[in-house]
Amino acid sequence: MLRKIDCNIWVAEQPFRFLGLDIGIRMTVISLKNDELAVISPIKIDHKIIEQFKEIGNVKHIIAPNLFHHLFLSDFKNIYPQAQIYAVSGLKKKRPDISIDKILDDDEQYFGSKLEYFLFEGLNTFLLNGLSPLNEYVFFHGESKTLIVTDIVFNFDESFPFTTKLVSKILGVYKQLKPSFLERLGTKEKEKVRQSVQKILQRDFRRVIMAHGTIVEDDAKQKFKKGYECFLEKKF
């Protein structure tokens, strides 16, 4: 079900397993002008969510914010053929089967003043097939003072299964709003990361919504800053 978080912003969550871990997955929905809805990191939806969408607006923008959150783009497009798919550079090569309408670009403002976005540069992660760039866009919804991210931070807590909690402690993301050890280890362009973090900290946000983990509602800006302090210290 869609759950209202604040004025003109909702989320929906569902179970999701990655490498055998239950990490959950979350999409964020923003109401823009003229009741247009932007869906960030879409999940698989059912009839209940479809009915809720009808109540709050019209799905016009389907957004893949990085190279990994693309599984349900085509499903959304089939349900909402009038909507446009926005994706990061590189996804078209990775998923040529998906009909991408627009590539996210810092020089364009597709969503107007209600939803800012910009590229988080420099962050990489280790996967089974080696090092991979996240190539992630982050979003700032000024009306609700919410920062919306996907995989640049995690925040697992006691609400997750035992194995997920154990692994998140090993990776340094248990009850901490920060990138995992894999991102910190895999990232070489630390100056680009530092500049991206500074750009985020210029925004007046009090909440962070991420794709995997528990939403941070209190003191989110300071927690985000602390999570990236190893990049902000500029000792590299």
Side-chain angles (χ1 to χ4, degrees):
M1 298 287 286
L2 285 177
R3 177 163 58 91
K4 190 168 186 177
I5 296 297
D6 207 320
C7 185
N8 291 321
I9 181 168
W10 299 258
V11 299
E13 296 121 351
Q14 65 186 200
F16 185 78
R17 291 177 66 85
F18 180 71
L19 299 179
L21 294 176
D22 293 305
I23 61 173
I25 191 170
R26 176 181 295 111
M27 74 174 179
T28 304
V29 180
I30 305 289
S31 179
L32 307 173
K33 64 179 182 180
N34 301 323
D35 292 327
E36 291 186 1
L37 299 177
V39 179
I40 303 171
S41 191
I43 62 175
K44 189 174 182 62
I45 59 173
D46 56 21
H47 291 295
K48 290 182 179 179
I49 293 181
I50 292 173
E51 289 302 313
Q52 286 183 288
F53 273 135
K54 291 179 182 178
E55 295 174 4
I56 64 175
N58 302 301
V59 176
K60 293 292 186 181
H61 313 281
I62 306 167
I63 306 167
N66 66 21
L67 289 173
F68 302 102
H69 282 244
H70 52 73
L71 295 179
F72 305 107
L73 292 175
S74 295
D75 290 345
F76 249 85
K77 183 73 170 183
N78 289 336
I79 298 170
Y80 301 104
Q82 78 282 1
Q84 291 189 312
I85 291 179
Y86 301 75
V88 297
S89 175
L91 187 58
K92 186 171 288 189
K93 181 178 180 180
K94 184 177 181 178
R95 291 292 306 273
D97 58 305
I98 296 176
S99 179
I100 296 171
D101 298 293
K102 293 184 177 181
I103 300 298
L104 289 170
D105 189 328
D106 283 346
D107 293 331
E108 300 285 347
Q109 281 297 317
Y110 298 121
F111 314 113
S113 60
K114 282 199 170 186
L115 187 61
E116 292 184 66
Y117 67 95
F118 48 88
L119 180 64
F120 192 102
E121 296 187 86
L123 202 64
N124 298 317
T125 189
F126 278 107
L127 297 176
L128 292 179
N129 58 349
L131 193 65
S132 177
L134 285 176
N135 200 21
E136 178 169 321
Y137 272 82
V138 300
F139 300 81
F140 174 63
H141 184 236
E143 185 178 11
S144 65
K145 295 187 175 181
T146 302
L147 182 71
I148 304 152
V149 303
T150 308
D151 296 326
I152 65 166
V153 293
F154 304 93
N155 179 43
F156 297 107
D157 60 16
E158 64 278 353
S159 66
F160 286 82
F162 172 78
T163 305
T164 303
K165 291 188 290 186
L166 177 62
V167 174
S168 68
K169 289 177 182 178
I170 295 171
L171 295 177
V173 291
Y174 183 69
K175 293 187 176 181
Q176 296 189 73
L177 185 65
K178 64 192 301 184
S180 78
F181 174 72
L182 297 178
E183 283 77 53
R184 301 195 299 275
L185 181 65
T187 296
K188 305 302 180 184
E189 297 181 291
K190 294 185 178 181
E191 176 60 24
K192 286 187 177 181
V193 174
R194 188 180 72 86
Q195 291 176 7
S196 295
V197 173
Q198 288 181 329
K199 188 181 292 186
I200 286 176
L201 294 176
Q202 291 172 4
R203 272 65 185 179
D204 181 24
F205 63 94
R206 60 179 178 83
R207 173 190 295 112
V208 174
I209 295 175
M210 72 296 293
H212 310 288
T214 299
I215 295 172
V216 176
E217 294 278 3
D218 301 312
D219 204 22
K221 189 171 184 177
Q222 283 303 115
K223 290 177 181 177
F224 185 93
K225 183 178 180 179
K226 183 179 180 181
Y228 270 93
E229 62 185 357
C230 63
F231 292 98
L232 291 172
E233 290 172 351
K234 205 175 180 181
K235 294 180 180 179
F236 42 83

